Amino acid sequence: DAKTTQPNSMESNEEEPVHLPCNHSTISGTDYIHWYRQLPSQGPEYVIHGLTSNVNNRMASLAIAEDRKSSTLILHRATLRDAAVYYCILRDLGGTSYGKLTFGQGTILTVHP
Amino acid sequence: NAGVTQTPKFQVLKTGQSMTLQCAQDMNHNSMYWYRQDPGMGLRLIYYSASEGTTDKGEVPNGYNVSRLNKREFSLRLESAAPSQTSVYFCASSEAGVSGSMNTEAFFGQGTRLTVV
């Protein structure tokens, strides 16, 4: 499975934008870039995903580099509720992978009031 | 909408005891997964099921067995619990299958916190 590299931790102030980086230099053509987050004592929840183009949804934006070797999750205005571990995951839906998610260590986001 | 439901939420076992963790989803998903999460770590895949009647090993299958009872239910069994199996267990489901799907969001349960003493 292709690997991702994320910073161990990041900090932000409430109501400021947050840019969470992810490197995935060995990404293959069939890998989708997924982001999940895990709030304390909860299961992971889906945030956003993309293939080649930048994506926006109600939770966040995903900016994907032109060569697809890196991406950035953007939280436009961080709230205290956004404090979580954020996982950047490459997900291959093809072949025999059956959409499995391979989690790394993720980035611990701390949001200060 | 219940999503993915796991039972029990908490469990304490003695070494050598057996138990089954239950998972059910109401989204008609083909694929289901069992993960474990140790303190301070990311999730690791134990077993997965691409469709009803099929199961396959993930990254850390030793000491576990699974059953895909029907499309809704996917259970995880510990035959002889060991302290190394103390962890939080998460079940997940998604529509991703052999043919792939654009509806690729995976849904997770709230977890079962298992302690083996």
Side-chain angles (χ1 to χ4, degrees):
Chain A
D1 292 333
K3 298 276 190 246
T4 63
T5 304
Q6 300 177 250
N8 289 333
S9 62
M10 292 187 66
E11 298 187 17
S12 173
N13 294 318
E14 203 173 8
E15 298 192 5
E16 289 185 354
V18 180
H19 290 232
L20 297 167
C22 181
N23 288 318
H24 28 80
S25 58
T26 60
I27 190 170
S28 72
T30 56
D31 284 331
Y32 283 77
I33 301 162
H34 280 244
W35 284 81
Y36 282 74
R37 73 180 186 180
Q38 188 173 21
L39 302 174
S41 300
Q42 294 192 25
E45 64 175 351
Y46 168 83
V47 177
I48 199 166
H49 78 278
L51 185 61
T52 56
S53 303
N54 295 345
V55 184
N56 300 299
N57 66 20
R58 63 175 180 81
M59 289 181 71
S61 296
L62 177 60
I64 301 172
E66 195 169 334
D67 63 5
R68 298 207 329 126
K69 293 186 177 182
S70 65
S71 62
T72 302
L73 178 70
I74 303 166
L75 306 179
H76 295 286
R77 290 183 65 197
T79 68
L80 296 178
R81 195 190 172 279
D82 291 322
V85 181
Y86 286 79
Y87 296 99
C88 170
I89 300 167
L90 302 182
R91 194 176 191 204
D92 182 2
L93 296 176
T96 59
S97 64
Y98 303 110
K100 293 177 289 183
L101 294 166
T102 301
F103 287 81
Q105 297 283 73
T107 296
I108 301 170
L109 176 65
T110 302
V111 180
H112 299 289
Chain B
N1 221 358
V4 178
T5 303
Q6 291 184 234
T7 55
K9 288 186 170 49
F10 301 93
Q11 184 71 50
V12 178
L13 288 179
K14 294 182 179 178
T15 298
Q17 286 185 318
S18 62
M19 80 161 294
T20 300
L21 281 65
Q22 307 286 355
C23 175
Q25 52 94 5
D26 62 2
M27 296 167 283
N28 203 37
H29 286 161
N30 286 316
S31 297
M32 296 185 72
Y33 316 86
W34 275 106
Y35 292 87
R36 62 176 286 175
Q37 186 174 33
D38 299 327
M41 306 284 288
L43 282 72
R44 292 183 292 169
L45 183 66
I46 305 171
Y47 270 93
Y48 65 98
S49 170
S51 62
E52 183 179 350
T54 68
T55 62
D56 213 337
K57 296 178 181 179
E59 183 185 354
V60 288
N62 291 343
Y64 306 95
N65 286 302
V66 290
S67 296
R68 184 73 182 269
L69 304 170
N70 47 55
K71 194 170 186 180
R72 278 190 75 242
E73 298 171 291
F74 188 38
S75 62
L76 178 72
R77 183 161 178 84
L78 288 70
E79 291 291 351
S80 179
S84 61
Q85 294 178 304
T86 294
S87 191
V88 180
Y89 291 84
F90 290 100
C91 177
S93 73
S94 77
E95 190 47 50
V98 175
S99 62
S101 168
M102 289 305 297
N103 184 15
T104 60
E105 177 180 352
F107 294 82
F108 286 79
Q110 289 299 299
T112 295
R113 284 155 180 77
L114 176 67
T115 302
V116 183
V117 297

